[in-house]
Every structure is written in structure tokens, then in C-alpha cells.
Amino acid sequence: MLSVPARWPVRVRQRLLLAMLLLPALGGAEVAGETAQAAPPADAPAHAPAQNWSFKGPFGHFDLAAVQRGYAVFAGVCASCHSLTQVQFSDFGGMGLTQEQVAALAASWQVTAGRDAEGHLRHRKATPDDALPRPYADADAARAANRGAVPPDLSRITQVYPGGADRVYALLTGYTAAKNSVTAAGAGAGAGAGAGAGAGGETHAALPEMGFANPYAIGHRTAMPPPLRDNAVLYADATQPTEQQEARDVTTFLAWVSSPHADDKRRLGVGVVLYLCFLACLLVILKRRIWSHVAK
């Protein structure tokens, strides 16, 4: 039973009683609002498990051997559908390659060099100053080859993709549909299906209009077939190319591409912190020396 002292003014008692009546209702509405806000949508991507990446944290660093292996996965699998438009071949010097190796790597790619007299595209070997070529001439060509989906550019994917490197790795390894042998026509449909099926002729069967089941994709479906498989690439350092290893390496490569100067920034940050600590100690000593003659 709600009550207030009778000696209080009538207006004060009315306001207090009104507040006491409304407080439970407001509290329940607030709890309900918080519950509704906390509950994710049914088709929201699953939370990607945290991975132990060498480049995480203020003292992290990129494993350049993993970055180079990740480039091999990108060039052998991902580049058939995805682009790196903000990357030039000369940038690959930052992953531990010499100028000669960068030039040789660039020469293994073909870039457009205008048109001939008949209007046909001409191609030439790329140079270190060239950007990586796009797999499709335009968005319409990409849609025509990928059932209406346009494969995203991967230049900054781990920075702009919610969940970062953890979710990229989870997406690559999180397909849930069972593997089935399909016809060549079925294997060729979809974004990167040829790269995903590979020489083994295996891919994940799924209805084109539904996409491929993956709990880490928006709506738990993605237009990209499973791109990786065991032994999809051959590593130069004799590392065993399992599906999980390829996913970790290409994710490390994409994280490095998204922030190629991260290691330099970390080293600079450590140097700045050490300098500031030294400066603070110096100022404390100087302060004590200047004011040492003042009696307390």
C-alpha cells in the first residue's frame, strides 16, 4: 500500500504518488528494451571464435612467411574472382621480397595495355609500378559470372569487415553443407567455383538461388562456394597446405594488405613510449635538482 505523510502539501503528495506508481512500469519497459536490444536478429552472422594471430596486440608482428604463403593462396584461388585494387606489386617488397623477386612476381601477371587497331584489348607483363589487375572488366561482367553477385575487393577487407580477421577465417572454414561430387556445369556456377572445386572436382552442392550455407555469413548464406581445400596450392617452404592452414595464411595476407605498415607503427609507438618514459624520469630529476635548496 502506497502512502505518504499527511502533513506534506497536497501537490507534493500527488507528485510523489504518481512517481511511485510509474516507476515499476518504467523499470519494466527499460528491462524489456535492453532485452530486445541485446537479442541479435535471427539471421545475424554467428560470432566468430577468437584466433591467436601473431599480428594482434601492441607488440604483435606479421609472420612474413605466413604472409608469403597467403599470397600464394590469393594468387592461386582468390584472384580468379576478387581484386586488390589498392595494392601495387611494389608493395609486396614489404612482405620480405627483394626487388628482383618483386619484379619476377609482377611479370607473372598480365595487365591491359590499351587496344589494338581492331579494338581488341592488348596485354603485357606487369611491372612493379602496376596495380594488381581486376578479374573482371566491370561490375556487370562480375555479376554475369557469379549469379548476380559482385565479389568484393579485398584490399581493406579485415578493416571494414565486421569481426575482422577472425570472421574472415571463420567464413572461409565455416561452410556446413556436405561435400558432393557435381557435374562440371554445377561446379562452374558461382563465384570462384572453379577455384573452389579445383582438380579434385569436388564442391559443396547448393541451390543457386539459396547460396551456400555458412553461419558466419549475413543471413547464414553466401554466394561464394567453399574456395579452399586440402592441397589447393603448393607452398614453397614445404608447409602442409591443409584447408585450415590455407585459410590462416590467406587471412594473414589480407590482414597485412589491409595494414601493411602496422609493424612500423608498432615499432614507432614503442620507441615513443620509451622516449616519453625517459623524458619523464629526466624531468623528475631536473625538478628535484632545481628545487632542492628550498626548505620544506
Side-chain angles (χ1 to χ4, degrees):
M1 187 69 179
L2 300 176
S3 63
V4 294
R7 64 179 182 274
W8 289 9
V10 176
R11 189 181 297 271
V12 174
R13 284 185 290 169
Q14 290 176 346
R15 292 180 179 177
L16 183 59
L17 287 173
L18 181 62
M20 295 173 67
L21 289 172
L22 292 179
L23 185 60
L26 292 176
E30 183 179 356
V31 172
E34 291 178 354
T35 304
Q37 184 177 6
D43 59 349
H47 179 71
Q51 302 293 323
N52 184 22
W53 302 106
S54 65
F55 51 84
K56 288 294 185 182
F59 300 104
H61 67 281
F62 282 104
D63 180 358
L64 295 184
V67 174
Q68 293 180 19
R69 292 194 302 267
Y71 166 79
V73 178
F74 172 82
V77 179
C78 310
S80 61
C81 296
H82 295 278
S83 59
L84 289 176
T85 56
Q86 300 182 35
V87 178
Q88 293 182 320
F89 290 103
S90 58
D91 296 332
F92 291 145
M95 64 181 186
L97 302 182
T98 64
Q99 293 183 356
E100 292 76 13
Q101 291 172 326
V102 171
L105 183 149
S108 65
W109 292 72
Q110 293 285 321
V111 296
T112 57
R115 297 181 180 273
D116 57 20
E118 299 178 355
H120 300 136
L121 283 175
R122 295 185 301 175
H123 293 83
R124 61 172 175 80
K125 291 183 178 181
T127 66
D129 293 331
D130 291 318
L132 269 72
R134 300 172 182 265
Y136 303 106
D138 51 35
D140 291 335
R143 291 190 186 94
N146 298 285
R147 299 178 300 178
V150 179
D153 181 82
L154 302 181
S155 300
R156 300 291 181 264
I157 190 66
T158 61
Q159 290 186 343
V160 302
Y161 199 51
D166 290 338
R167 189 171 166 214
V168 171
Y169 175 80
L171 183 69
L172 291 174
T173 59
Y175 289 89
T176 57
K179 286 187 176 182
N180 296 283
S181 179
V182 295
T183 62
E202 283 189 334
T203 187
H204 291 228
L207 295 177
E209 64 274 11
M210 294 177 60
F212 298 86
N214 192 312
Y216 303 103
I218 298 176
H220 299 175
R221 292 281 173 175
T222 175
M224 180 178 69
L228 303 178
R229 59 179 177 81
D230 293 344
N231 301 311
V233 296
L234 181 63
Y235 286 146
D237 61 359
T239 300
Q240 185 64 28
T242 62
E243 181 178 346
Q244 288 73 23
Q245 184 66 50
E246 293 165 2
R248 289 194 68 85
D249 290 339
V250 75
T251 302
T252 301
F253 170 74
L254 293 176
W256 177 82
V257 166
S258 296
S259 185
H261 305 295
D263 285 352
D264 295 334
K265 293 178 181 178
R266 292 190 188 101
R267 285 191 291 266
L268 178 62
V270 171
V272 169
V273 170
L274 293 176
Y275 171 77
L276 292 177
C277 291
F278 171 77
L279 184 61
C281 294
L282 186 63
L283 291 175
V284 169
I285 295 174
L286 185 61
K287 179 255 184 186
R288 290 185 176 182
R289 184 178 182 86
I290 292 175
W291 297 95
S292 61
H293 65 282
V294 179
K296 292 183 180 180

